[in-house]
Amino acid sequence: IALAWADLAQGDPRSGLAHADRGLELEGRRRSLGFYMALCHKLHALTLLGEAERARGIALAAIEEASRSSLAVAVSGLEHGLGLAELRLGALDAVRARALQRAGDPHFAAAANAHELLARVDLAERRPVPLARHAAALRAIGQRTGSDRLRANASWADGAAAALNGQPEEARNRLHEALALQIEHQLRPDALDTVETLAELQLATGRAEAAARLLGAADRSRTELQLRRLPPDRSEERRVGKECRSRW
């Protein structure tokens, strides 16, 4: 189960899926916390591999089952898996409604997962004020738990919010801060999000060639790693790509 999470965080969803399935096999008929943790990782892997609709169906059935137990942490984890699948399917309103209910969860992982989902929704909808609030929440949880990944994602969200607010220097500093941690820990999926945000910033500051190179590198890496974008192909990213081609 731990190996499944490591694979997902570092950008190997096929291996993550294999480890998650092995975890489920080892748990057998037991509906333990370990079982549901393995299932959460399976949902994540399926979504990254392009099987979001399948992941959504599995998540809905599992949430109903887990809700009848006393494993509240399992339910919140499954809701995160469902949120990732719905994010990939473009159901942003559903993601926001569910994640808002978990943002104040006393369990650090549940709250962090909720703020990450909400940050992605707000970036897709270009809402810098709530995006910055979610960045602050992620940073606070990251500092409390010692998680470099959460601190990196907080810097990414801060940088994206600054870019939307027309603060290119602040955005560049925060995005480079995020990327340094993501490279240090080989957090490839998160790093690709940061690179794409940097590309948008480069274009906004008149550096079309640099933006095109960053977008090209990110697209090539996503293809090689078989990582789907969450949410899929934002309209803003399509605009950036089109402008890069027209200016360069």
Side-chain angles (χ1 to χ4, degrees), residues 14 34 36 58 93 103 108 168 176 192 196 210:
R14 290 205 177 278
Y36 287 115
I58 294 172
D93 289 342
F108 288 134
H176 285 166
L192 289 175
E196 288 171 347

Side-chain angles (χ1 to χ4, degrees), residues 220-238:
R220 183 171 63 252
S221 293
R222 284 195 187 279
T223 300
E224 290 173 353
L225 295 170
Q226 297 181 297
L227 294 173
R228 302 305 195 277
R229 186 180 286 106
L230 304 176
D233 200 18
R234 293 188 296 119
S235 59
E236 187 62 20
E237 285 163 354
R238 289 197 297 272

Side-chain angles (χ1 to χ4, degrees), residues 3-16 44 48-49 185-192 221-222 224-227:
L3 287 168
W5 167 239
D7 283 336
L8 291 168
Q10 295 191 325
D12 191 348
R14 290 205 177 278
S15 181
H44 192 169
L48 289 179
L49 290 168
H185 296 291
Q186 300 180 48
L187 302 169
R188 295 176 183 88
D190 296 340
L192 289 175
S221 293
R222 284 195 187 279
E224 290 173 353
L225 295 170
Q226 297 181 297
L227 294 173

Side-chain angles (χ1 to χ4, degrees), residues 89-100:
L89 295 169
L92 302 186
D93 289 342
V95 176
R96 177 187 284 111
R98 191 175 296 103
L100 282 172

Side-chain angles (χ1 to χ4, degrees), residues 215 232-245:
L215 280 181
D233 200 18
R234 293 188 296 119
S235 59
E236 187 62 20
E237 285 163 354
R238 289 197 297 272
R239 180 191 69 76
V240 170
K242 184 177 180 180
E243 286 193 29
C244 284
R245 288 190 292 272

Side-chain angles (χ1 to χ4, degrees), residues 100 103 114-116 118-119 122 129-139 154 157:
L100 282 172
H115 285 294
E116 284 192 43
L118 290 166
D122 287 326
V129 174
L131 180 55
R133 286 201 300 267
H134 298 307
L138 287 171
R139 190 174 304 282

